[in-house]
């Protein structure tokens, strides 16, 4: 499943605004999921993005395919392997992240998850033949440092055994799953990245919906009932989640995952603005500086 090198000089920098749009939809999805977290629990809230996103993902895939003349499906074995592997890895990464948060704190788990940015660069180069220049490497590391400072919890940190490994593991596995999704999109229809990306989202979300629904039906039927009961609130999360995933996958088809993940950290200022408007949250001076450092790293990773 080797990846094709995308020449940024051929007008392919369109992946940057696509990524920014994806982060905006992702912030909206997270806000919607947050509203049902209490009753459905973390796994129920995770299922929401797949179960209620699947109808929208199917609709988006159909529209993208219909408006793309000349698109040809290549549902080959590498495509299915990449979809199944990516879907499973993303669920495993979520489990690792939840474990890290349980054994430390929500904020600390979020901070450790930022390790996914350099891991995305590493996995892409080692396993998928991505071409990443030294400036992009430096930008990814700078952005990771800025994110760690920005998201590191203030005050006393309580951390149980293995929390660090679980947090770093979640970042590494999330990055690996993202690379699998990129390979799936490239395998399905590399000549038409948007159509291929939305079809890949539909297939991946179908796999994840089946897996998580089966798990909750077996282990936590109360959470499954809470998800179904909250269908009105969940529709918004499903729509935003499907739109975000489609845009993420499109960007990752046009560019290696590492730079896309770096640009994707614009989610942090978007979330900060939303938090200030909705919840009257404020950033500390150190967090403002960390945000500026992150921005420098993002620009280097995107253009390097």
């Amino acid at each position: 499943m080797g990846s094709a090198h995308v020449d940024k000089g051929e007008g392919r920098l369109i992946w940057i605004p696509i990524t920014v749009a994806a982060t905006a939809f992702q912030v909206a999805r997270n806000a919607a999921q947050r509203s049902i977290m209490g009753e459905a629990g973390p796994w129920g809230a995770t299922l929401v993005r797949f179960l209620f996103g699947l109808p929208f993902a199917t609709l988006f895939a159909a529209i993208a395919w219909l408006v793309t003349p000349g698109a040809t499906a290549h549902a080959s074995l590498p495509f299915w392997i990449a979809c199944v592997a990516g879907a499973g890895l993303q669920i495993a990464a979520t489990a690792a992240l939840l474990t890290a948060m349980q054994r430390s704190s929500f904020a600390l788990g979020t901070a450790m998850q930022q390790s996914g940015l350099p891991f995305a660069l590493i996995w892409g180069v080692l396993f998928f033949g991505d071409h990443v220049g030294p400036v992009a490497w430096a930008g990814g590391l700078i952005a990771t440092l800025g994110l760690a400072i920005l998201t590191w919890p203030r005050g006393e940190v309580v951390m149980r055994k293995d929390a660090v490994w679980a947090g770093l593991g979640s970042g590494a596995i999330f990055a690996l799953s993202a690379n699998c999704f990129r390979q799936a999109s490239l395998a399905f229809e590399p000549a038409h990245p948007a159509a291929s990306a939305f079809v890949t989202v539909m297939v991946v979300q179908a796999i994840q919906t089946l897996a998580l629904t089966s798990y909750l039906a077996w282990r936590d039927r109360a959470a499954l009932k809470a998800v179904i009961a909250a269908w009105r609130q969940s529709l918004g999360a499903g729509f935003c989640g499907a739109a975000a995933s489609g845009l993420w996958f499109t960007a990752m088809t046009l560019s290696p995952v590492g730079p896309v993940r770096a640009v994707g950290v614009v989610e942090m200022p978007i979330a900060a603005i939303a938090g200030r408007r909705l919840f009257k949250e404020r950033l500390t001076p150190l967090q403002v500086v960390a945000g500026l450092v992150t921005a420098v790293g993002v620009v280097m990773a995107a253009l390097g």
Side-chain angles (χ1 to χ4, degrees):
M1 293 188 295
S3 66
H5 172 55
V6 177
D7 185 359
K8 294 180 181 179
E10 297 178 357
R12 293 303 184 100
L13 287 179
I14 186 66
W15 65 267
I16 295 177
I18 290 174
T19 301
V20 174
T23 63
F25 276 109
Q26 184 162 295
V27 170
R29 183 204 69 200
N30 291 342
Q33 280 183 296
R34 180 178 177 180
S35 66
I36 66 165
M37 182 76 151
E39 295 183 5
W43 284 118
T46 301
L47 175 60
V48 163
R49 65 180 289 193
F50 305 135
L51 178 62
F52 292 95
L54 183 57
F56 294 109
T58 303
L59 176 62
F60 295 159
I63 294 173
W65 200 256
L66 289 174
V67 301
T68 307
T72 304
H74 300 92
S76 59
L77 182 60
F79 168 75
W80 289 106
I81 291 175
C83 283
V84 172
L89 286 167
Q90 191 175 59
I91 292 175
T94 302
L97 178 60
L98 293 173
T99 299
M101 290 176 176
Q102 183 183 43
R103 296 181 179 179
S104 56
S105 68
F106 178 84
L108 188 57
T110 301
M112 289 186 291
Q113 186 193 356
Q114 306 310 326
S115 63
L117 204 167
F119 275 118
L121 291 165
I122 293 169
W123 300 149
V125 171
L126 288 181
F127 301 128
F128 302 107
D130 288 342
H131 300 272
V132 180
V135 175
W137 276 106
L141 295 175
I142 290 171
T144 301
L145 175 63
L147 277 174
I149 297 172
L150 189 64
T151 58
W152 197 266
R154 287 170 286 175
E156 185 178 354
V157 176
V158 178
M159 187 184 306
R160 292 172 55 188
K161 185 180 179 181
D162 297 334
V164 171
W165 292 115
L168 295 178
S170 72
I173 301 171
F174 271 126
L176 189 57
S177 71
N179 273 288
C180 287
F181 297 148
R182 168 171 160 78
Q183 299 309 310
S185 291
L186 288 171
F188 191 77
E189 174 51 299
H192 299 89
S196 183
F198 279 99
V199 171
T200 302
V201 170
M202 177 187 69
V203 172
V204 168
Q205 290 202 341
I207 294 170
Q208 292 170 320
T209 297
L210 178 61
L212 268 182
T213 301
S214 300
Y215 173 78
L216 290 178
W218 173 46
R219 296 296 301 268
D220 193 350
R221 293 186 179 180
L224 186 58
K225 291 179 180 178
V227 168
I228 296 172
W231 67 270
R232 286 185 177 85
Q233 305 97 298
S234 300
L235 284 174
F239 172 83
C240 291
S245 295
L247 293 170
W248 277 117
F249 283 29
T250 301
M252 290 188 295
T253 306
L254 294 170
S255 168
V257 175
V260 173
R261 282 281 286 108
V263 173
V265 305
V266 300
E267 176 187 358
M268 298 302 295
I270 293 174
I273 292 171
R276 182 165 185 171
R277 287 184 175 273
L278 296 175
F279 310 112
K280 307 301 180 184
E281 297 173 348
R282 294 184 179 275
L283 295 175
T284 66
L286 177 61
Q287 289 174 316
V288 172
V289 172
L292 294 175
V293 171
T294 302
V296 172
V298 167
V299 173
M300 291 174 62
L303 303 180

